[in-house]
Amino acid sequence: MAEEEAKKRRFAVLTGGGDCPGLNAVIRAVVKTFLQNGCEVYGVPNGFNGLVNGTLQKMDHGSVSGILPRGGTVLGTTNRDNPFKFAVETEGQIVYKDMRQQVVDNLNKYDIEALVVIGGDGSLNIGAKLARECGVKVVGCPKTIDNDLPCTERTFGFDTAMSMATEALDRLHTTAESHHRVMALEVMGRYAGWIALHSGIAGGADIILLPEIPYKLDSVLAKIKERQANGKNFSIIVVAEGAKPVGGEMSVARLVKGSFEPIRLGGIGEKLVRKIEERTGIESRCTVLGYLQRGGTPSAFDRVLATRYGVAAAEACLRGEYNVMVSLYHDEIVTVYIQRAASEARRVPVDSEIIRTGRQIGICFGD
Ligand code: F6P
């Protein structure tokens, strides 16, 4: 009886999908909060892979010491291992198997009460499905540099990515101005233009091209010419990887087999600058910022937000509030039903105040 009473509640935490600045800050906050409240906590290595393979590791204060400013995730991550469609090699062939029972068995084996899933839409969808179809108790935490999750005003990682893109724009300005060139910066964001929009405004871009507003090449050229007529012999463009011309398609860079979301966008920036150079004769170049947006230390804002999310996720577990995602709403951390949070991507509303702000200061959105 005394032994039973002394039994500690046990929780697990995993990071899934692409990495993102602030993941370690969340892990640290989750682990500290559980330990502080007399619970045990296990880390799941490499996203849902570790859950299928049952390779959970007990965590203590030492496991999270010094990780707050570190980029990446100490737990490892992957965007390939979906337990409902898990790649298994049989006789030299890859076959996809439903491993949900193995996940449930592993959680039971470690006596895990609930799982904190730190992820974007792919991982949160898997978490929601585990909750719905397998009875796993899940609390989600909204991660992505893309800022495209519904039901939260901000995902952690976005601020850092936006700041990196802004710094890149500051640097591109000086070289563009010296060489009288058109410089395009292609940024990430998948089907949403949040990184392009915010960094474009912060970095003083002349033209911002978003997935939400298909662009006309003629409008882009008109803006460059207007600047020339005003004595500005250079122009700065921010182009989201998901931007597309009116009537055209998004530019697909590659297909990743076995990934939650196999399409990888990219390449639109180079296509655009070639057309600009052809039509205007102005030397034009493209820089693809790529993974620099995701790597490295999180900004102070992201460290704070990630810590608030981590504490709130652990607190939800402690009070037994499951199948929710922690979310930012009017600067308060609240919880929302995870299934809603894992629904369609949140895109930039084309009639929003921030787009109007851009237009009022003369930014061309290509329409
Ligand atoms: O969702 C985050 C993100 O960095 C997107 O902005 C980008 O399109 C994608 O992930 C890249 O994915 P991967 O790491 O698989 O190349």
Side-chain angles (χ1 to χ4, degrees):
M1 183 65 184
E3 211 173 84
E4 192 60 28
E5 271 166 13
K7 199 172 147 193
K8 291 184 171 180
R9 293 172 78 186
R10 274 193 189 170
F11 298 94
V13 54
L14 71 74
T15 51
D19 76 328
C20 172
L23 280 168
N24 283 327
V26 183
I27 297 167
R28 172 176 173 268
V30 167
V31 170
K32 278 178 177 260
T33 307
F34 280 138
L35 294 179
Q36 192 121 295
N37 285 276
C39 303
E40 289 180 345
V41 53
Y42 282 72
V44 183
N46 303 321
F48 291 101
N49 183 296
L51 216 48
V52 170
N53 290 316
T55 48
L56 282 65
Q57 301 277 331
K58 193 166 178 187
M59 299 183 84
D60 57 19
H61 284 290
S63 331
V64 294
S65 172
I67 69 170
L68 174 65
R70 272 171 62 187
T73 159
V74 290
L75 292 175
T77 190
T78 169
N79 52 19
R80 283 171 191 261
D81 295 320
N82 178 349
F84 296 95
K85 216 178 152 201
F86 195 78
V88 183
E89 205 183 320
T90 326
E91 292 164 11
Q93 292 267 314
I94 297 289
V95 287
Y96 289 92
K97 288 195 172 166
D98 188 337
M99 305 296 264
R100 69 179 81 190
Q101 194 51 49
Q102 200 154 314
V103 166
V104 173
D105 292 347
N106 282 330
L107 289 170
N108 288 338
K109 187 173 97 187
Y110 285 89
D111 201 15
I112 302 296
E113 178 179 328
L115 175 69
V116 176
V117 174
I118 311 169
D121 58 347
S123 310
L124 292 174
N125 255 302
I126 293 172
K129 197 167 171 184
L130 283 172
R132 205 173 56 241
E133 298 183 13
C134 310
V136 175
K137 292 170 178 163
V138 173
V139 172
C141 187
K143 165 236 74 163
T144 172
I145 61 164
D146 304 336
N147 201 33
D148 63 349
L149 287 179
C151 306
T152 185
E153 285 166 3
R154 196 49 91 86
T155 57
F156 73 86
F158 170 66
D159 184 73
T160 309
M162 174 182 70
S163 306
M164 278 299 296
T166 303
E167 189 191 331
L169 286 169
D170 290 346
R171 291 176 185 275
L172 288 176
H173 256 99
T174 59
T175 171
E177 192 168 7
S178 307
H179 284 266
H180 319 299
R181 283 173 172 167
V182 171
M183 286 287 192
L185 178 71
E186 183 181 303
V187 296
M188 285 182 164
R190 295 205 299 170
Y191 305 103
W194 296 106
I195 299 177
L197 176 60
H198 283 253
S199 65
I201 290 178
D206 308 299
I207 299 160
I208 301 177
L209 303 178
L210 307 175
E212 294 84 351
I213 307 177
Y215 68 87
K216 296 185 201 112
L217 183 63
D218 284 343
S219 305
V220 173
L221 300 178
K223 179 70 188 178
I224 294 167
K225 286 181 189 149
E226 176 200 304
R227 283 178 54 77
Q228 273 189 322
N230 291 330
K232 300 274 192 185
N233 286 323
F234 71 97
S235 290
I236 300 288
I237 305 174
V238 183
V239 52
E241 62 181 3
K244 60 177 183 185
V246 171
E249 295 299 325
M250 286 184 186
S251 181
V252 175
R254 69 181 70 220
L255 295 175
V256 182
K257 226 177 148 200
S259 172
F260 307 159
E261 152 68 73
I263 296 174
R264 294 293 177 277
L265 298 170
I268 187 68
E270 188 57 37
K271 288 180 191 163
L272 178 73
V273 293
R274 283 185 187 202
K275 290 226 163 80
I276 293 172
E277 191 166 300
E278 239 170 68
R279 294 275 300 272
T280 62
I282 306 171
E283 257 198 302
S284 305
R285 299 280 196 273
C286 172
T287 300
V288 180
L289 195 53
Y291 298 91
L292 294 176
Q293 289 157 100
R294 267 173 36 182
T297 190
S299 65
F301 179 92
D302 276 335
R303 294 181 198 190
V304 175
L305 183 61
T307 302
R308 292 173 75 193
Y309 278 152
V311 169
E315 282 178 346
C317 291
L318 290 170
R319 62 177 179 267
E321 187 189 353
Y322 295 126
N323 308 338
V324 292
M325 180 187 84
V326 293
S327 125
L328 186 71
Y329 180 72
H330 291 181
D331 204 32
E332 292 287 328
I333 307 291
V334 298
T335 52
V336 293
Y337 183 44
I338 194 166
Q339 193 60 54
R340 269 187 61 218
S343 62
E344 219 166 285
R346 188 174 69 94
R347 306 181 78 205
V348 176
V350 296
D351 53 359
S352 52
E353 169 274 324
I354 188 156
I355 296 274
R356 198 181 72 248
T357 297
R359 291 193 196 280
Q360 291 289 20
I361 57 165
I363 294 172
C364 164
F365 287 94
D367 50 348

